[in-house]
Amino acid sequence: MSKLNPRQREAVHYVDGPLLVLAGAGSGKTSVITRKIAHLIEGVGIPGRHIAALTFTNKAAREMKERVGKLVSRPQTRGLTVSTFHNLGLNIIREEHVHLGYHPGFSIFDAEDAKALLHDLMMTDGSVEAGDEVATVQMSISNWKNDLRSPAEALSRAADERDQRMALVYARYNEYLKAYNAVDFDDLILLPVQLFMSQPETLQKWRRKIRYLLVDEYQDTNTCQYELVKLLVAERAAFTVVGDDDQSIYAWRGARPENLAQLKEDFPSLKVTMLEQNYRSTGRILRSANTVIANNPHVFDKALWSEHTIGEEIRIVRCRNEDAEADRVATEIIDQKLKKGLAWRDFAVLYRGNHQSRLLEMKLQAYQIPYHISGGQSFFSKNEIKDAMSYLRLLVNPDDDAAFLRVVNVPRREIGPRTLEQLSHYARSRNVSLFRSLGDIGAETQVTERGLDRLRRFAHWVDTTCQRLHQEDPIPVIKQLFTDIEYEEWQHQHAGSPKQAERRMSNIWYLIDGLQRMLEDGKGTADELGIEDAISKMILRDMMEQREEEDDSDKVQLLTLHASKGLEFPHVFIMGLEEEILPHRASIEEGNIEEERRLMYVGITRARETLTLTYAAQRSQYGEKLETIPSRFLDELPDEDVRWEGTGDLDVEANQKKGKATLKALLGDLGV
C-alpha cells in the first residue's frame, strides 16, 4: 500500500500531542507506524536514537524494522529502538542492573526453569499436592507480577489458606531468583517499572533517551506494560499507540482492552483517529464481521469498509458429525484448488482448540494434502539446543541453578541424583547457588567424597572456560567447549542414527553462528554487544520465538484462532461453530462471551476472498454421541450475506463420491 488514505495521513502527521489510532483489521496499521517513524526522523527532526517502537512479537518487530529501513537511510535510523516490550525491559535491566541489585550476566528463567524451581520449593515446604498445583501457582505468580502485586500485597489480599500458601511460595520464589542472579519473563517488565517508580533520576535518564514512543497492538498490554508506557511518556505525552479493542483476545495472558479507554483518563488531550478502511477482505466478509462484533459493548464505535467487491456469500456448512466435518473441509479444499487453480498455501483452517486438528490431520493425510500446523516444535525446544543454551547460560552466570542441573550430567559425568540432592540440600541451607556451594569447605560434610570430587572437577572446568570467554575471542572458546565435553561423540552414542547425530550437531553450529552474527552486527555501533549481552538476547529470542515458528512452503495452514491474529489468507475455513467450542464452555460458564466474540471477529477478518464456517450436528464425547447446539455467533451473521448448506439430511454416499472424484482428478492433475 504505497499511498496513504486521509485517516492514515492524519495519524502519521499528528505530533502535537498524545494519539490513539484505532486500527481495524486489515487497515494498514503497520504502514502507519513505519511511516510515522520516518516522518518523526525526517519531518520533525527527532534523531532515530530518541525514538522507540514497541510490539509483542519478534516477527512484528523485524517486519517493522525492515520497512523503516526502506523509508529512511541507515545513518538516520542509528540507535532507533524497534523491539518487543520484553526486549526493551531486558535492555533497561542490563543497563541498570546495579540499581536493581543484580550482577552482570544475570540469567533469564523460561517457563520450564521457573516451573522446576517452584516444584522444588513446594516439595520442600511439604506440599504433597505440589505436582498438581505447580501450574496454578505459576500462573498466579505471573498474574500478580503483571498486576504489579508484590508478595506482601498478595499475602495481605489472600482470601483463604490456599491463597496464603501461594503468596508465601511467591515470596520464596523471588528470593531464590535473586540468589541465582536470575529474572523470569514477567520480571523483564516488572523490574523496570519498580525501578522507575522508586528512582526518579533513573526514570528521567530513560525519558531523555526515549523522546517519542510508539506502541503497536495496544489492546494486548497488561497493567504492568501500561504502567511502563505511562511512566516513560508522562512528561512530554509524545506518543502514538495503535490498537483495536475488537481484537483483544488475550485476557488469559493478562491483556486489558480497557487500557485503551484508560488512556483518555490519564491523558485528557488524547486525540483519537479511526482507521476503518480495510485493504484485505471483500464487502460481505467485512459486513459480517461488523455485524457480529456490534453485539459487544464499545467505548469507541467503528465499522470496517472496503473498496473491494461484495464477494461471495459466507457458507455455513452443517455436517453430520466431527468425522464428516473434517472430511468435508478436506474435500472442499481439493475441490476449490482444482476448480480455481489455487495453491495449497491459499487455504487456512482455523479452530478454537488444538485438539480439533487431530481428526483433520488424518483426513488431510488420507487425501495426500500437504499441511503445516502453526506452533510445531521450536528450534530452541530441541534437546541439543536446550543443552547448548544451558551451557551458555552457565558460562555467563554460574549461579544459574536450572542451567547447572541440566548440563552437569550432559554428557554423563557419573554424578548421580543422590549426589545432586545432597548438594542441593547443602546449598539451600546456605542460601547460595549450587555452583557457589561447591567452593565451601562445609560441602564436604554433606556430599560424598567421590561425588564432590566429580562436581568440583566440573566446576573447575566451567571456571576456566569462563575466564577464557572473557580473555579470548568468545566464539572459538564456545566451539572448543563442545569439543572439550566430547558432545559430538556423546550424540553419536545416543542418536538413533549417524545422520540424526550429524543433524543435531549442525543445529549446535547454527546456534553458534547466530551468536557470532549478533556480535558482528553490533560492532562499532551504539548497539555493540558483549558476549553476556548476546547470550541474554538469544535466550530472550528463544522464549519469544517458541510460539512464532513459521513455514512458507506450499501447504494448507492449520492454526488456532488465537495464533491466526495478524495473518491473512485468501480462503479460510473455521471449524467447530458450536456452543461450548466457540464460544468455549469455560467462557460461557464465566460469562465472558465478549472475548469469544472478539475471537470470532478475528477469525472472520483473516479471510480475503472466501469464508466457510462448519459445525457438526453430533459430536462424540467419552464414547457417547451428543447432539450439539450451533454457535450463537452463526445467528448473529447478517442473513443476506450467508448461505446455509447441509441443513437437510446429508447424503453421505454423494459426499464420498464427490470426494473420490475430486481426489481422482487431483491425482490425474499431478500425473500420478
Side-chain angles (χ1 to χ4, degrees), residues 101-240:
Y102 287 87
H103 308 298
F106 57 86
S107 294
I108 306 170
F109 271 35
D110 67 11
E112 288 306 309
D113 298 329
K115 187 179 279 184
L117 173 56
L118 285 167
H119 186 270
D120 286 352
L121 289 173
M122 291 168 74
M123 293 305 274
T124 307
D125 285 346
S127 303
V128 181
E129 70 279 17
D132 301 325
E133 274 210 335
V134 172
T136 308
V137 173
Q138 188 171 17
M139 183 169 275
S140 295
I141 290 173
S142 179
N143 289 339
W144 283 329
K145 288 191 175 191
N146 289 335
D147 287 340
L148 291 170
R149 201 172 295 179
S150 68
E153 199 179 341
L155 187 60
S156 71
R157 290 196 190 186
D160 52 33
E161 195 184 320
R162 184 166 172 266
D163 283 358
Q164 285 177 353
R165 196 168 66 244
M166 288 201 290
L168 291 169
V169 172
Y170 177 23
R172 295 190 65 220
Y173 168 75
N174 271 1
E175 285 166 17
Y176 273 98
L177 278 180
K178 201 70 183 281
Y180 299 158
N181 195 36
V183 299
D184 67 16
F185 195 59
D186 299 310
D187 286 333
L188 293 175
I189 312 294
L190 176 63
L191 290 175
V193 169
Q194 290 175 335
L195 176 72
F196 290 161
M197 284 175 158
S198 63
Q199 298 199 16
E201 64 285 357
T202 308
L203 174 58
Q204 280 305 322
K205 171 186 155 185
W206 283 89
R207 282 177 177 172
R208 285 193 295 273
K209 271 190 178 191
I210 300 174
R211 295 183 194 166
Y212 202 98
L213 184 67
L214 302 101
V215 184
D216 189 17
E217 304 287 11
Y218 200 71
Q219 75 283 347
D220 292 341
T221 54
N222 58 37
T223 302
C224 205
Q225 286 159 334
Y226 182 87
E227 202 57 42
L228 180 64
V229 169
K230 200 168 96 173
L231 284 162
L232 285 169
V233 303
E235 204 170 43
R236 288 190 195 85
F239 68 83
T240 294

Side-chain angles (χ1 to χ4, degrees), residues 441-479:
I441 295 173
E444 292 161 16
T445 64
Q446 300 288 323
V447 187
T448 59
E449 188 180 342
R450 193 165 161 225
L452 191 60
D453 179 56
R454 287 185 175 135
L455 282 165
R456 282 178 168 167
R457 266 187 283 157
F458 172 65
H460 176 70
W461 171 79
V462 171
D463 259 336
T464 308
T465 310
C466 282
Q467 286 165 21
R468 289 184 57 215
L469 194 70
H470 295 96
Q471 292 163 0
E472 304 170 31
D473 182 352
I475 298 300
V477 173
I478 291 167
K479 286 182 177 173

Side-chain angles (χ1 to χ4, degrees), residues 423-575:
L423 182 70
S424 181
H425 185 73
Y426 174 71
R428 283 259 161 81
S429 70
R430 297 266 295 107
N431 202 26
V432 292
S433 68
L434 296 170
F435 189 88
R436 207 173 288 267
S437 71
L438 287 170
D440 286 6
I441 295 173
E444 292 161 16
T445 64
Q446 300 288 323
V447 187
T448 59
E449 188 180 342
R450 193 165 161 225
L452 191 60
D453 179 56
R454 287 185 175 135
L455 282 165
R456 282 178 168 167
R457 266 187 283 157
F458 172 65
H460 176 70
W461 171 79
V462 171
D463 259 336
T464 308
T465 310
C466 282
Q467 286 165 21
R468 289 184 57 215
L469 194 70
H470 295 96
Q471 292 163 0
E472 304 170 31
D473 182 352
I475 298 300
V477 173
I478 291 167
K479 286 182 177 173
Q480 179 67 37
L481 177 159
F482 290 97
T483 307
D484 286 351
I485 64 174
E486 299 180 344
Y487 192 77
E488 190 162 2
E489 291 84 338
W490 186 73
Q491 281 294 354
H492 276 282
Q493 287 165 20
H494 291 83
S497 67
K499 204 174 182 76
Q500 188 182 43
E502 285 161 21
R503 192 162 57 245
R504 288 175 182 173
M505 282 314 297
S506 74
N507 284 336
I508 298 271
W509 305 134
Y510 182 79
L511 178 81
I512 296 169
D513 288 346
L515 203 54
Q516 187 164 13
R517 280 194 299 275
M518 286 174 82
L519 291 169
E520 286 171 355
D521 285 351
K523 268 188 181 160
T525 72
D527 297 329
E528 186 162 357
L529 299 175
I531 187 65
E532 287 104 336
D533 298 337
I535 290 168
S536 288
K537 287 270 185 196
M538 191 158 268
I539 292 164
L540 181 59
R541 184 181 295 177
D542 159 10
M543 292 163 69
M544 294 293 289
E545 292 199 354
Q546 276 173 19
R547 35 193 167 167
E548 289 182 44
E549 294 297 300
E550 51 194 289
D551 186 329
D552 291 327
S553 51
D554 188 20
K555 296 175 181 177
V556 173
Q557 300 297 307
L558 310 185
L559 61 171
T560 63
L561 286 157
H562 281 100
S564 74
K565 188 164 169 290
L567 303 175
E568 56 181 81
F569 308 93
H571 306 282
V572 170
F573 292 80
I574 306 178
M575 295 176 69

Side-chain angles (χ1 to χ4, degrees), residues 44-75:
V44 184
I46 301 175
R49 67 181 182 278
H50 291 309
I51 299 170
L54 303 179
T55 187
F56 281 84
T57 66
N58 286 327
K59 185 183 171 192
R62 273 197 303 271
E63 184 190 345
M64 221 177 270
K65 212 163 195 172
E66 282 165 17
R67 286 169 74 163
V68 171
K70 288 174 185 168
L71 295 170
V72 186
S73 65
R74 192 170 169 81

Side-chain angles (χ1 to χ4, degrees), residues 242-278:
V242 182
D244 182 2
D245 48 347
D246 290 332
Q247 292 189 75
S248 183
I249 56 174
Y250 296 115
W252 50 279
R253 282 207 311 232
R256 297 178 77 254
E258 312 92 271
N259 285 349
L260 290 166
Q262 185 66 39
L263 270 177
K264 189 74 180 163
E265 291 180 31
D266 291 335
F267 299 92
S269 61
L270 183 77
K271 178 179 171 66
V272 180
T273 296
M274 303 266 192
L275 300 187
E276 295 170 295
Q277 183 174 358
N278 174 285

Side-chain angles (χ1 to χ4, degrees), residues 567-639:
L567 303 175
E568 56 181 81
F569 308 93
H571 306 282
V572 170
F573 292 80
I574 306 178
M575 295 176 69
L577 265 296
E578 299 150 36
E579 291 289 303
E580 301 199 351
I581 294 181
L582 182 66
H584 194 272
R585 179 192 294 176
S587 299
I588 296 171
E589 288 169 356
E590 291 162 12
N592 188 19
I593 296 298
E594 289 168 21
E595 177 137 341
E596 293 291 296
R597 190 174 282 112
R598 292 196 289 267
L599 207 49
M600 178 71 177
Y601 174 83
V602 165
I604 294 171
T605 54
R606 297 314 94 196
R608 293 209 297 258
E609 296 170 36
T610 70
L611 176 64
T612 305
L613 311 173
T614 67
Y615 69 96
Q618 275 188 344
R619 202 170 280 274
S620 297
Q621 200 172 3
Y622 310 118
E624 192 183 345
K625 286 183 180 175
L626 302 174
E627 298 291 322
T628 68
I629 300 170
S631 170
R632 67 191 73 190
F633 301 144
L634 295 176
D635 292 329
E636 293 176 1
L637 292 163
D639 290 339

